[in-house]
Amino acid sequence: MSNTVGRSIFHPTLLCPSVAEYQSKVNSSGILANNLFKAASVNQGPAQTQNFLLSTKFRGNKLCVRKRKLAMGRHGRVAVIPHAVLTTDPTSQLSGKFNLDGDIELQVGVSSIGPGPITKIDIQVSYNSDSLILHWGVLRDMQAKWVLPSRRPDGTEVYKNRALRTPFLKSGSGSILKIEIDDPAAQAIEFLILDEAKNKCFYSNQRFKNNGENFRIKLPVKEKSVNEASVPEDLVQIQAYLRWERKGKQMYTPEQEKEEYEAARKELLDEVARGISVHDLRARLTDKTSSTEVKEPSVSQIKTIPDELVQIQAFIRWEKAGKPNYSPDEQLREFEEARKELLAELEKGTSIDEIQKKITKGEIQTKVAKQLKTKKYFRVERIQRKRRDLMQLIDRNVAKDVIQQDIAAPKPAAPKTLTALERYAKEREEQNKGLVLNKKIYKLGDNDLMVLVTKDAGKTKVHLATNFKNPVTLHWALSKTTPGEWLAPHPSILPPGSVASQESADTQFETGPSDPSYQVQCLDIEVEDDTFKGMPFVLLSGEKWIKNNGSNFYIEFDGGRKQIRKDNADAKGTAKLLLDKIAEIEDEAQKSFMHRFNIAADLIDQAKEAGQMGFAGMLVWMRFMATRQLIWNKNYNVKPREISKAQDRLTDLLQNVYISYPQHRELVRMIMSTVGRGGEGDVGQRIRDEILVIQRANDCKGGMMEEWHQKLHNNTSPDDVIICQALIDYINSDFDIGVYWKTLNDNGITKERLLSYDRAIHSEPNFRRDQKEGLLRDLGNYMRTLKAVHSGADLESAISNCLGYRSEGQGFMVGVQINPVPGLPSGFQELLQFVMDHIEVKDVELLLEGLLEARQELRPLLDKPQDRLKDILFLDISLDSTVRTVVERGYEQLDNAGPEKIMYFISMVLENLALSSDDNEDLIYCLKGWNLALSMCKNKDNHWALYSKAILDRTRLALTNKALWYQQLLQPSAEYLGSLLGVDRWAVEIFTEEIIRAGSAASLSSLLNRLDPVLRKTANLGSWQVISPVETVGYVEVVDELLAVQNKSYEQPTILIAKSVKGEEEIPDGAVAVLTPDMPDVLSHVSVRARNSKVCFATCFDPNILANLQANKGKLLRVKPTSADVVYSVVEEGELVNANATQLQEDGSVPPLNLVRKQFSGRYAISSEEFTSEMVGAKSRNISYLKGKVPSWIGIPTSVAIPFGVFEYVLSDKGNQEVADKVKVLKMSLAAGDSSALKEIRETVLQLKAPPQLVEELKTQMKNSGMPWPGDEGEQRWEQAWKAIKKVWGSKWNERAYFSTRKVKLDHDNLAMAVLVQEVINADYAFVIHTTNPSSGDSSEIYAEVVKGLGETLVGAYPGRALSFISKKNDLNSPQVLGYPSKPIGLFIRRSIIFRSDSNGEDLEGYAGAGLYDSVPMDEEEKVVIDYSSDPLIVDGSFRQKILSSIARAGSAIEELYGSPQDIEGVITDGNLFVVQTRPQM
């Protein structure tokens, strides 16, 4: 690790409180810091805490003088080594034997240990009680006032700052206690004996009392010689520190440290040998009044100011200067200036005590430079964001799934042998006929408890079973609201033998089935009342209460939720082997965070082998942990530094994955955000150390703070961050306990959870008002320590770790030195300072700019491997997290904001999302689009709102795709692993949803929803786009996808509210309207089908209108659309009868449709001059007809065709007999209703072999027409072409086409398929024209849509909208744009051949078969993410006008040629227009 701990003689863990206090008073900003440090003697074992007294403390913004409360003794120092013992020392000399009240005997033994000053005191009482305590103190100089030792026996508490109270230990029928004291100045111990529970004090029947009240035992006084003399280790530490200062604060090696330490000890021993007492040494070394004049010139001063006062004065100067950020040199200067001011007072004759009082009252004259009095001098009001090429941010790393079976792994083991309880649970579940509502298996040590909740015949049934050997009793109740509620069950539902009480019942488990192999106890409970939501319970076995990790068990009935799924039992879409391994070792992981993080580190290699799904599984596991779905600690004590070290190991490995596997970076970031940073050595240990100092410094050692202290020592967790924040909020709210609980509950910590810890927190905080300032300061600093370990996404600690710090004298992280991350950009520190200066500023726009600029500055470093990469990563994660929280904070200021400001916020949040995402090309182009939209808005461009609406729609699509990626990648692992680990069902069901909500995508979606109505209003778009304006009446039905119901037949007229419509679906029978929030193209297949079928079809942009429509589910509505709006109302049943009669009349006017079977003409291929109705379909004939008849500037591609009948003839060829037989069988299955045969037929057709004559004729016709012959490029190219031809033939059996022909009762066997062969024109744009506006039916205007690349994205089911426009036929050079494109994908292809379907079932009168069958290019199209911000069709108005008007003129010319409305497809390449097909507009 490069985060090193500075080594020197003055390391704070080797300093006594006085030195550490002296050293830690001033932090890096020149202000007084709290004293969070650990004091431990060098030669002692485990470090023990020391107490000390500060006469003054700086708390918050004012100086508080702590009043000394002297009761039974003045405060002083005694070195005490506490040990509670089980037996008294037989060598002890009996110093007193007393008879107490009630014939109780007290014996006190005193003895010396060796030649040193240690005195042992053994106390025995012939009285046995759990509440017996010793109330005691130590006397010096036989004065009446007690000295309170700071090191005490285990369990000792301070009583009102006047005495110590130590519990006795039971020993047989009596109680014992042992204390050891090594202070030569201690002359006696005084004490009382109390039974706290009985509030009783034991008195002696003799007069051996001090003033008739206290017991006093004299301690032996030893003659001290030089050889026997010793000095307390804390004084040796001070002397060593002073020597280090005198020598210029050098950096020592460990050997030099030891030498210096022993030299300091020798100096003090020499002074003791000269007759100076330890008391006088202490007074001199700790700046107290000394009774002995010390001649050593390096430390004695005639006139000195205590450093603690200088520090306070320096802090006051800093506050008056406006709390600037001083450099280290400026800090030293300010410190010396403060000293000069106080020395000036001293020279006037003012005493130290008077100076202290004047500081308290603010009466010391202070001169501060004017330039320091305002913060603005030290901060920039707004950063200047650098201009960057957003293209440099594109990350095209896409993970490829690793199929689990391909991973090298041992063969699957034999099925696991089920335990008796598992077999019993499985059989009960299989026997149950009702709905399974919940199922849990609890691990209880070596035993298990199964709880199964079912619903049958209106009753909720709870089945419990356990494999405990001893009898078990269920102590239970019912709950209607919260898990903490206990309501007594009604006597009627109590199982036989139950015993009821006021709020609960006790029921004993019964022996299970007669089969002895089960060895289970079981119990069934039936609850008829549906108002009960769950059952709280505990178990009783013998005299032992059994709980769920310290809390009550609680099982939800939850009949309103979905039935428990098989939870992805086959683990499809997961790294199953890895998840099985995780489940296998979860019991071990539950012991502590140290165990879990080390296990996770061990599994990283297996995750790498499993690829994307492996890291998805790791994320799910870590997320379950972070959201408290898994046990954090189970009866295992672990030191914080051990947790921190395990975190460090795991995050180091994740750092390596981030560099070596860039395709997994987004998942790695998400995993790291659940883990926390960690860190070796001192970082984690400070969690233990600093809580002790907080307690001691603020006099809060009992109650809740002591319980929390015990929890922190036992096993710290991320909950401690929340608890600390709750305490801070509680204090800030003027001690409102409701605020404390609100902070806890808002962050998922309930009273039950506090009680569930191994070291439970029972009490509420209860502080005094005089503790407020000190606790706020110290808990604020402690929060930084907690976050440094537990919160990887904490901004302040992440900044500190990257910029580096050396905290020799700060309350936070004392003694830790972290070097700056190398290679940070110039000015980066100032940028982060700007961020921190604005972190709470109300106007969040400035802060967002700073956060994003910081992320952009870090971006290049994230691609470079280095040892400290994880520190950069955690900083970037924290900046990302802060953006999200800041945006949510800024919603209020957007309430009355104009569109420009909302758009700017959208661009910033989108930038943040792109910086955190893999495969972010679409997001980057959306961002470029928003930047263009902002520019158009500022420049008052007439199209700004219309263009912004297109970018908004595209951004929504991008968010939808991202959510779908999360769902497909994470949810299967969440379901499978959740079922293995017994995770709450609700947590599994919303797993992906919560992942999305936690990211920038949720904030971005919220901002888009704010802007959408503004844009629609500005662009006059309204709330609807009407695609097929048909008035109708029907019953409302709500469906998720139109695709899911396209083959359904509704028995009554139905208005479908479909959440998803892609564009290629069929309209189901019985549907009279389809209303959707989705945005299929107006010229997509489903849009054409709706118009042809006279079905109302419209897109609703207003979620409120849509929600109202959905709320009418089951009701009869009349829907009346216009060209731009839809009006709807509830109607009576009679109106439906009239509407049906009208519909029947209209339907009756349509003549029946017939197809004539086509025969093989003997020709395998024909030229365009031979296109006739007997040979080819209308598509081929129309393209041939256009040649030579349209204006010369309209290009017509060269074409040949494979005529009708060729497919059937090839199928009957002897070489294809086996294929023909299989197709015949499959067609019989299809006729019998097996629709799965459709796919099999298509696959079978691909097995056809090409007759040589077909190959030869097609080659001849293509070459004669000037088209390239694929076979000239090799046999493989011909095979590609032949496969494409067979795909066109096979599309006769597409599901959509097959069911469509059945609806109109067309004979499917008579459907013949010709193949139109054309050279692919590599298009810049593709278009579709309807020469009569399909939405309004207006024949005076042309409607057209344009896409980038090939036209398949327009006519196929590709999401997003095309550019749409209308043009009046009397003004074709003035096209009017209706909408800009939002399709993210364009299709492009190399020079190739396309084979187009051309059936005899297309363009029949009354039936539109166009678009039902496939057109297949020989080569696969390349999907390209489109950047519209640089597309001339978008940004160049004159270019756009030229292209759109040429499309309109082409449509007008072709309509004039045919004399009827036309549906035309074409392309634009290099500014030239080509028409590839035309058909009558339906």
Side-chain angles (χ1 to χ4, degrees), residues 922-975:
D922 190 20
L923 296 174
I924 293 297
Y925 292 151
C926 286
L927 178 56
K928 293 183 70 177
W930 281 110
N931 290 341
L932 176 59
L934 271 168
S935 176
M936 293 171 68
C937 180
K938 292 175 182 177
N939 295 328
K940 311 293 185 189
D941 189 301
N942 292 333
H943 286 209
W944 78 265
L946 205 58
Y947 176 71
S948 299
K949 180 65 170 70
I951 297 300
L952 184 146
D953 292 340
R954 179 175 180 175
T955 307
R956 275 184 172 154
L957 279 175
L959 294 181
T960 300
N961 291 336
K962 193 157 191 69
L964 185 62
W965 179 73
Y966 282 140
Q967 181 74 25
Q968 293 174 342
L969 178 62
L970 300 179
Q971 195 61 32
S973 292
E975 291 177 3

Side-chain angles (χ1 to χ4, degrees), residues 65 79 661 745 977 1114 1339 1359 1479:
V65 179
Y661 300 85
N745 293 337
L977 186 61
S1339 61
R1479 64 172 74 91

Side-chain angles (χ1 to χ4, degrees), residues 549 590-594 596-597 625-628 630-634 636 638-644 647 674-676 684 687-688 708-725 744 747-749 753-754 756-759 761 782-783 785-792:
N549 197 31
Q590 289 179 356
K591 288 183 178 179
S592 74
F593 280 119
M594 177 192 73
R596 187 177 299 280
F597 293 145
M625 171 206 70
T627 55
R628 305 187 183 95
L630 304 178
I631 295 172
W632 284 4
N633 173 243
K634 186 165 66 176
Y636 196 95
V638 62
K639 298 174 182 177
R641 67 168 174 264
E642 294 171 336
I643 297 175
S644 184
Q647 283 175 304
T674 67
V675 175
I687 289 179
R688 276 190 168 195
W708 186 32
H709 159 218
Q710 293 300 326
K711 189 254 182 213
L712 288 160
H713 273 231
N714 181 60
N715 210 304
T716 183
S717 71
D719 278 5
D720 295 315
V721 177
I722 299 167
I723 293 171
C724 188
Q725 186 61 55
L744 292 179
N747 290 278
I749 299 182
R753 182 163 182 83
L754 293 176
S756 73
Y757 302 139
D758 282 355
R759 298 293 187 270
I761 299 178
Y782 191 52
M783 176 71 86
T785 299
L786 290 170
K787 286 182 175 180
V789 174
H790 292 303
S791 302

Side-chain angles (χ1 to χ4, degrees), residues 1025-1043:
Q1025 178 171 22
V1026 179
I1027 298 170
S1028 177
V1030 178
E1031 182 177 349
T1032 190
V1033 176
Y1035 292 95
V1036 175
E1037 178 70 22
V1038 180
V1039 298
D1040 286 331
E1041 295 180 331
L1042 182 61
L1043 183 66

Side-chain angles (χ1 to χ4, degrees), residues 86-88 94 96-109 122-129 132-135 166-178 191-195 200-203 215:
L86 296 178
T87 59
T88 56
L94 185 62
K97 184 174 181 181
F98 314 102
N99 293 320
L100 309 183
D101 298 340
D103 295 327
I104 296 172
E105 186 177 87
L106 165 67
Q107 292 186 8
V108 181
D122 293 280
I123 304 174
Q124 278 187 322
V125 184
S126 60
Y127 179 82
N128 195 311
S129 170
L132 193 67
I133 63 171
L134 186 75
H135 181 89
T166 304
F168 278 84
L169 298 177
K170 288 184 179 180
S171 179
S173 60
S175 302
I176 58 101
L177 185 61
K178 176 180 177 180
F191 60 89
L192 296 173
I193 298 176
L194 308 172
D195 188 333
K200 179 178 180 181
C201 180
F202 293 95
Y203 294 97
F215 294 97

Side-chain angles (χ1 to χ4, degrees), residues 966 979 994 1049 1208 1267 1369:
Y966 282 140
S979 67
E994 288 302 305
S1049 293
E1208 290 78 8
M1267 297 171 66
K1369 292 177 181 176

